[in-house]
Amino acid sequence: MGKFDGKVAVVTGGTSGIGLATAQQFAKEGAHVFITGRRQSELDAAVKLIGKNVTGIQGDISKLEDLDKLYEAVKQEKGKLDILYANAGLGTLLPLGEITEEHYYKTFDVNVKGTIFTVQKALPLFPNKVGSIILTGSTAGSIGDPAFSIYGASKAAIRQLVRNWILDLKGTEIRVNVVSPGFVHTPAYDDLFGAEVENVLEHAKSVTPLGRVGTVEEIANAVMFLASNESSYVNGIELFVDGGVAQI
């Protein structure tokens, strides 16, 4: 018997990194998981890797019609939703003085607008207004990083949204929490830092109190906790999974 037998979960950005690791754990623990990704080839590969209890829906969370397609698939196939992990996001480096309007909109359209409507459009699918919603934040929303102000601001917005949403959802049993990773080596790191990624990871180890970077499985474990009944009285928190880097 798995921890999530009979449950239905959605993981956005579920084709690589933290999202994929989390989707794998949900499926392993008995949930049927719907994953999203923008690129069909990566989505197909992720579905194959997860192997069972999984449905892949191609889409971009910044496009509301793609979110409608996702939730229509959930409704038609399973008729309900128990767990939402709104994980999809992106970030690029641009320092003050070089920030462009395109950079701003690309980041906020996915990280903020996309997350808002990922959550809002999911609400009618939670049976009897019971369920768990988890959002991916970041230590960048709480501490400073050079050339990362737009990304950091978008993740700070995620944290503030949750503070308000738990009041909007008062009277239901839908919990909303944020999990904020620290330094974790994912494919997104390779894309973001390129040839400098090893130097970045060495720096991360030096500034993290635990002296290492995290793993995608460690972030997924935190999501599992927030999704489960073990956290039934946990609501509105930001759970840092960062080796202590944002706590000093």
Side-chain angles (χ1 to χ4, degrees):
M1 295 290 289
K3 183 182 293 185
F4 297 109
D5 279 351
K7 301 294 186 181
V8 178
V10 163
V11 178
T12 63
T15 58
S16 68
I18 292 167
L20 177 56
T22 304
Q24 287 177 292
Q25 287 206 34
F26 276 133
K28 182 179 178 181
E29 290 290 345
H32 187 95
V33 59
F34 290 79
I35 64 171
T36 73
R38 288 178 293 166
R39 291 173 284 273
Q40 189 66 51
S41 60
E42 293 181 11
L43 186 65
D44 292 341
V47 167
K48 183 177 180 180
L49 182 63
I50 295 168
K52 63 176 183 178
N53 299 333
V54 60
T55 301
I57 306 293
Q58 189 273 333
D60 179 341
I61 67 162
S62 69
K63 298 178 180 178
L64 303 193
E65 61 270 24
D66 285 1
L67 290 172
D68 290 336
K69 181 176 71 172
L70 165 65
Y71 292 126
E72 183 61 27
V74 175
K75 183 178 179 180
Q76 292 298 321
E77 189 170 336
K78 293 296 180 181
K80 67 163 187 172
L81 179 61
D82 301 290
I83 302 158
L84 170 60
Y85 181 31
N87 166 69
L90 53 80
T92 52
L93 295 164
L94 275 180
L96 183 64
E98 298 179 22
I99 295 168
T100 65
E101 187 176 27
E102 179 186 10
H103 171 68
Y104 167 80
Y105 278 119
K106 183 177 180 181
T107 305
F108 269 73
D109 277 357
V110 173
N111 293 2
V112 182
K113 186 189 84 172
T115 300
I116 290 169
F117 288 101
T118 295
V119 173
Q120 181 165 285
K121 287 177 176 291
L123 293 178
L125 286 170
F126 285 94
N128 303 314
K129 297 184 179 180
V130 176
S132 179
I133 299 171
I134 304 104
L135 279 56
T136 294
S138 173
T139 55
S142 299
I143 61 177
D145 290 296
F148 226 26
S149 61
I150 300 302
Y151 177 79
S154 74
K155 290 302 184 177
I158 292 297
R159 178 66 185 103
Q160 188 59 33
L161 288 171
V162 169
R163 289 190 175 100
N164 291 273
W165 285 348
I166 62 171
L167 297 174
D168 294 338
L169 292 169
K170 187 175 181 179
T172 76
E173 291 186 48
I174 299 174
R175 298 180 294 112
V176 191
N177 293 289
V178 181
V179 60
S180 286
F183 296 106
V184 179
H185 189 186
T186 66
Y189 265 48
D190 296 323
D191 294 339
L192 182 61
F193 298 112
E196 291 297 313
V197 69
E198 291 302 326
N199 291 334
V200 170
L201 294 173
E202 286 303 312
H203 170 73
K205 293 175 186 178
S206 71
V207 300
T208 300
L210 280 183
R212 63 177 178 85
V213 298
T215 68
V216 292
E217 290 79 14
E218 288 174 313
I219 311 304
N221 287 339
V223 178
M224 293 298 109
F225 168 68
L226 292 174
S228 74
N229 288 333
E230 294 169 1
S231 62
S232 58
Y233 202 53
V234 178
N235 194 26
I237 71 160
E238 181 173 17
L239 176 57
F240 288 95
V241 189
D242 66 350
V245 73
Q247 315 309 316
I248 55 175

